[in-house]
Amino acid sequence: MSKIICSAAIRGAHKIVDMAEASYEEALKKYGPEHEVSFPNTAYFLPIIYSMLGAKVQKLGDMKDIFVECRKLLPAIVSDNIWLPYLAPALDAGMATYFAEEMYEAIRYLNEPNFYTKTEDPLPNNLWLGAADDVIFRKRGVEFVDGTAPGFAAIVGTPEDKAVASKIALELQEKNLYIFMHDQSKGKNMAELLVENGVQVGWNTRLVPFGKSYTSVVFAIGFACRVALAFGGVKPGDYKANLIYNKNRTFAFVMAFGPVCDEWYANAAGAINWGFPTISDYDIPQVLPTGICTYEHVVSQVPHDEIVQKAIEVRGLKVSVTKIDIPMSFGPAFEGERIRKDDLFMECGGGRTTGVEVLVSKEMDEVEDGKIILEGPDISDIKAGQNLPIAILVEVAGREMQSDFEPILERQFHHLINYVQGIMHIGQRNIMWIRIGKGAVEKGFSFKHIGKVLHGKLHQEFGAILDKVQVKIYTVQDKVDEVMALAKQVYTERDLRLGSMTDETEEVFYSCTLCQSFAPSHVCVITPERIGMCGAYNWLDGKASFQINPTGPNQPIPKGECTDPENGYFTGINEFVSQASRGAVTEVSCYSLMNNPMTACGCFEAIAAMLPQCNGIMVVNRDYMGMTPSGMKFTTLAGMAGGGMQTPGFMGVSKHFMTSPKLFLAEGGLKRMVWLPKMMKEEIKDKLIERCKAIGMPELYDMIATEEQGTTEAEILAFMKEKGHPALEMEAAMS
């Protein structure tokens, strides 16, 4: 290994350990040895130290032994007249660097509690996010295991030109990598340059500004260590297993811009321990022989237009991305992108216009692979603010295709359309909603590009069962209405496939975690009598999805013992939900609105809410825009029921669940229903009347109020008394 690099790394390590120890001594005098230290809201103590040494640094006094370990690891400063095998000493110096920097950053949290922002996304006055808390880690860390994110680029410094910085960031995003940003070059840092150039930074776009000094690199390396501990089965203190896991599974590298100081060299030496090489644009010595890293350890003087590809090559990362022929960038990095009001060009669906999406299977000779039809105005034909109806009809054929697979493929539309930069997709079926940003329009976005995305990605992800895919998109009302009629028929047939199955007849339920990108603690539990709250997945769909993709979002849940039939508590469900939510949700009732209700993301068809004065429950569907008796409109209620939270008295539900025998069973069932929007009541009329007859109260249908009877609790209560609603005589739902 280069003597120049190793000498600089060892010098830098000494400087960093000295700096951290001085900070420690000051903190010790100020706070005392019993003062607690941590990275806020994390369960891995100081993760590099914990994973490498097994040491739990919980108090300032715990750091003393770690500094002793740092001094043991630090080799002597390299003199000009002595030659040694430099690799091992440099790696030890790098490890000491990370231990010291991790303690330095923990002390920074004590001294400057507001130095890092406390939100998932950067604030206007504070770009720096600091250590990822456990909510973010649960949401993002699993992506390093399931292949959604193969690794990360730890960027130190920045190119001077903001356009170059943006281009490099975009290239890395397109490779599905996370970009962890640290420190500055000549007074400039990459995160600020990106923001200046109109680029959204934060966890949602995978452009993560960890910190404005080189010491924040420990947040990136610590994140990798936490992945190994949480998802790789690596035990604390098993440093060898952690290093090997990350070398083989986390395809990360350091990308350094501008002059490299001793402290940067020390951090680069530390990264090599994990098999993470350094690629630089600056004229520094190279370390080309293989050894700890898969290929070269340090590669320098790489032009900016080649640096991303060179980093991919040096790290040995095999990126497999089907090139989608659209003018916008495409990939999971854009799934969490929000299109806000100021950026909005137009909308389709979501109650603004009619919107529907459906996938159906056809015979082989009925589908022309790659055919994309657009009938109606395109984006280029309208002005900003002019919304259009939309119907997306995807027809597929394949020798292994089954009708049971249709809803699984259809549900992929949600994340695949979200993968398009500048496009936002919410919901599904006939409550879908698309928001199109001005930036996408400026790049030439066309509705046909949605067809190209769906054609290409469905082939890529489901090639084992699909041979042909054609996409038809309509933006004229009469054609949209035709597809809507077809879709409703398809949805009904899917729902009827459950037949006479009940929650008691089946021993296995299914999970759905498709929406954890929006709500990391949300786990939907699908049973024969309770389909997914989005309305898109029933029990058979979950089963079929698991058959297609055994490691996907729909996993079997052995229901276990039913400990409370009325509330719907099952031991197997609680165990699964606790694990899948990473401990955020430990108990879920399948049949109660008030007691540990099921969590939701934001894709629910409707929201149920308790009306205390009426001793009853109202349900409002997404399409209803008016006021409800709860005193809130749907959008406000969504904030109460969504986000992966459990809020007693508020819960996301599907329309189909409204006629399930398990509906609000713990609260007395359908007899507790007191208000529905007229449009929803009419939509489920036949099934609702049938259900009212089944419980021996055919008159109940007419006792359920709509907005025609009132939109306040007082008005609904008066109507209930006039009709003699059974909820008035029931036990109080809220004590």
Side-chain angles (χ1 to χ4, degrees):
M1 195 165 182
S2 164
K3 179 179 179 180
I4 296 174
I5 288 180
C6 290
S7 300
I10 293 169
R11 285 197 307 271
H14 276 271
K15 295 176 185 177
I16 290 167
V17 173
D18 289 345
M19 175 186 72
E21 199 159 23
S23 175
Y24 164 69
E25 294 296 343
E26 289 180 10
L28 204 58
K29 293 176 184 177
K30 183 176 181 180
Y31 303 106
E34 296 301 309
H35 199 92
E36 292 185 358
V37 291
S38 68
F39 292 155
N41 303 317
T42 65
Y44 295 92
F45 309 99
L46 303 188
I48 301 177
I49 294 169
Y50 185 49
S51 62
M52 293 294 106
L53 302 177
K56 300 178 181 180
V57 177
Q58 298 172 278
K59 301 177 181 178
L60 266 174
D62 297 336
M63 292 183 177
K64 181 178 180 181
D65 291 340
I66 310 302
F67 278 112
V68 171
E69 188 66 28
C70 289
R71 293 298 177 185
K72 289 180 182 177
L73 286 169
L74 279 180
I77 299 290
V78 178
S79 64
D80 292 336
N81 59 357
I82 189 168
W83 287 86
L84 292 170
Y86 292 105
L87 179 57
L91 296 180
D92 287 346
M95 191 64 74
T97 293
Y98 286 156
F99 293 166
E101 288 179 343
E102 206 165 42
M103 291 186 287
Y104 181 83
E105 287 291 345
I107 293 169
R108 190 202 295 273
Y109 271 108
L110 285 183
N111 292 329
E112 302 176 81
N114 296 318
F115 186 85
Y116 295 115
T117 184
K118 296 178 176 64
T119 64
E120 182 173 345
D121 293 312
L123 300 170
N125 61 343
N126 187 359
L127 276 175
W128 309 111
L129 296 177
D133 68 25
D134 281 346
V135 173
I136 296 171
F137 172 69
R138 286 193 300 268
K139 179 178 177 180
R140 306 292 172 173
V142 70
E143 297 176 354
F144 288 78
V145 181
D146 65 14
T148 307
F152 62 82
I155 292 181
V156 185
T158 184
E160 293 186 40
D161 185 86
K162 63 184 180 182
V164 173
S166 298
K167 182 176 182 296
I168 290 171
L170 185 59
E171 282 189 67
L172 291 167
Q173 284 178 301
E174 289 175 337
K175 300 294 187 291
N176 300 331
L177 294 162
Y178 275 83
I179 299 91
F180 296 153
M181 294 174 279
H182 319 268
D183 213 354
Q184 55 190 351
S185 299
K186 299 181 180 179
K188 297 181 179 180
N189 62 70
M190 189 154 183
E192 289 176 344
L193 287 184
L194 294 178
V195 171
E196 285 178 18
N197 208 32
V199 177
Q200 289 186 27
V201 302
W203 282 102
N204 281 339
T205 56
R206 301 194 179 186
L207 297 170
V208 183
F210 268 137
K212 63 179 180 181
S213 70
Y214 60 80
T215 56
S216 65
V217 171
V218 293
F219 298 141
I221 302 300
F223 194 93
C225 290
R226 291 163 72 184
V227 169
L229 292 171
F231 304 109
V234 176
K235 303 299 182 186
D238 190 351
Y239 61 88
K240 183 176 180 181
N242 198 304
L243 298 177
I244 291 174
Y245 177 92
N246 276 289
K247 177 183 177 181
N248 295 333
R249 296 289 300 275
T250 305
F251 290 90
F253 50 85
V254 178
M255 191 177 283
F257 294 100
V260 178
C261 61
D262 289 351
E263 290 85 350
W264 284 19
Y265 277 122
N267 277 275
I272 289 173
N273 283 287
W274 278 262
F276 303 162
T278 293
I279 296 85
S280 171
D281 66 345
Y282 205 66
D283 183 12
I284 61 174
Q286 301 192 109
V287 181
L288 302 180
T290 58
I292 305 300
C293 295
T294 303
Y295 299 115
E296 296 89 348
H297 295 77
V298 180
V299 178
S300 63
Q301 290 185 278
V302 182
H304 290 153
D305 59 353
E306 300 175 13
I307 198 165
V308 172
Q309 189 54 48
K310 189 65 176 178
I312 297 297
E313 172 196 334
V314 171
R315 183 60 185 92
L317 172 59
K318 309 299 181 186
V319 178
S320 176
V321 178
T322 298
K323 181 63 178 177
I324 305 296
D325 187 19
I326 60 176
M328 296 76 64
S329 295
F330 179 88
F334 305 106
E335 184 179 8
E337 184 181 17
R338 303 299 198 265
I339 306 302
R340 298 181 172 89
K341 185 177 180 181
D342 292 343
D343 301 324
L344 181 65
F345 182 82
M346 65 89 65
E347 302 176 87
C348 302
R352 281 70 173 165
T353 66
T354 308
V356 61
E357 58 190 25
V358 63
L359 180 144
V360 296
S361 52
K362 296 280 190 177
E363 297 297 326
M364 294 287 285
D365 58 359
E366 295 180 286
V367 178
E368 180 182 336
D369 188 47
K371 184 177 183 180
I372 299 172
I373 295 173
L374 172 62
E375 187 172 326
D378 201 352
I379 297 294
S380 58
D381 301 321
I382 63 173
K383 297 179 181 179
Q386 182 181 346
N387 299 331
L388 293 171
I390 192 167
I392 301 174
L393 171 61
V394 178
E395 298 170 325
V396 301
R399 287 177 290 276
E400 303 299 324
M401 182 64 193
Q402 302 174 27
S403 59
D404 285 350
F405 298 160
E406 291 175 359
I408 290 89
L409 302 182
E410 183 180 293
R411 194 66 179 99
Q412 309 309 307
F413 296 3
H414 176 63
H415 70 268
L416 294 180
I417 294 174
N418 270 320
Y419 282 2
V420 182
Q421 186 185 29
I423 309 298
M424 183 177 174
H425 181 283
I426 299 172
Q428 66 293 310
R429 285 191 170 190
N430 58 343
I431 61 167
M432 55 85 78
W433 179 16
I434 295 178
R435 291 168 68 89
I436 297 170
K438 295 175 183 176
V441 176
E442 290 171 0
K443 292 181 179 180
F445 174 75
S446 161
F447 285 123
K448 283 190 174 182
H449 295 138
I450 293 177
K452 290 185 177 182
V453 166
L454 296 179
H455 170 262
K457 296 302 290 183
L458 288 176
H459 263 302
Q460 182 191 26
E461 296 184 11
F462 299 97
I465 60 174
L466 292 179
D467 295 312
K468 295 182 178 181
V469 179
Q470 67 184 20
V471 183
K472 299 174 181 177
I473 300 175
Y474 302 103
T475 59
V476 286
Q477 192 64 50
D478 59 341
K479 296 297 292 186
V480 172
D481 291 341
E482 286 182 24
V483 177
M484 180 69 79
L486 167 67
K488 287 184 175 180
Q489 180 182 347
V490 170
Y491 303 154
T492 300
E493 290 172 356
R494 290 177 187 170
D495 295 339
L496 289 174
R497 290 205 306 267
L498 286 173
S500 60
M501 294 169 57
T502 68
D503 290 359
E504 288 76 23
T505 63
E506 304 303 318
E507 294 304 314
V508 173
F509 298 157
Y510 286 91
S511 70
C512 184
T513 55
L514 266 172
C515 296
Q516 281 196 341
S517 59
F518 289 93
S521 61
H522 170 51
V523 182
C524 198
V525 178
I526 303 170
T527 79
E529 294 182 90
R530 178 171 183 157
I531 74 172
M533 60 190 67
C534 67
Y537 272 20
N538 63 30
W539 185 90
L540 288 172
D541 300 331
K543 182 179 180 181
S545 176
F546 178 67
Q547 290 174 342
I548 295 173
N549 183 8
T551 61
N554 302 111
Q555 294 293 307
I557 307 175
K559 68 180 185 183
E561 179 187 357
C562 181
T563 58
D564 185 337
E566 281 198 357
N567 280 285
Y569 286 123
F570 297 86
T571 56
I573 288 178
N574 287 337
E575 289 172 7
F576 183 93
V577 169
S578 180
Q579 180 183 14
S581 69
R582 310 305 190 275
V585 179
T586 58
E587 195 171 32
V588 165
S589 65
C590 292
Y591 313 139
S592 177
L593 177 67
M594 296 301 299
N595 305 316
N596 298 307
M598 195 176 297
T599 59
C601 55
C603 289
F604 32 66
E605 287 188 301
I607 297 171
M610 183 62 68
L611 297 177
Q613 294 179 34
C614 299
N615 198 34
I617 297 170
M618 57 154 271
V619 176
V620 56
N621 57 303
R622 183 180 293 272
D623 298 330
Y624 177 73
M625 297 296 174
M627 182 56 68
T628 74
S630 68
M632 294 177 277
K633 294 185 178 181
F634 181 92
T635 50
T636 306
L637 285 164
M640 305 291 292
M645 302 179 296
Q646 284 182 307
T647 309
F650 299 89
M651 182 171 64
V653 292
S654 69
K655 296 175 183 177
H656 186 271
F657 189 49
M658 292 300 94
T659 53
S660 167
K662 298 298 192 293
L663 175 74
F664 312 136
L665 188 62
E667 286 74 42
L670 187 60
K671 292 179 182 179
R672 194 70 77 168
M673 181 75 67
V674 301
W675 189 89
L676 287 169
K678 184 179 180 181
M679 67 170 72
M680 184 176 177
K681 189 177 179 182
E682 287 294 320
E683 182 179 348
I684 63 174
K685 179 179 180 179
D686 294 341
K687 291 182 179 179
L688 190 55
I689 290 175
E690 183 180 337
R691 183 68 195 138
C692 290
K693 291 178 180 178
I695 65 172
M697 287 195 67
E699 69 278 12
L700 181 60
Y701 179 82
D702 293 323
M703 295 180 179
I704 300 172
T706 71
E707 67 272 23
E708 292 184 343
Q709 283 74 49
T711 55
T712 68
E713 277 203 74
E715 290 171 331
I716 304 310
L717 182 58
F719 178 78
M720 291 170 64
K721 290 178 179 178
E722 176 189 331
K723 292 290 185 178
H725 197 290
L728 295 173
E729 304 299 324
M730 298 174 75
E731 181 182 354
M734 297 181 69
S735 55

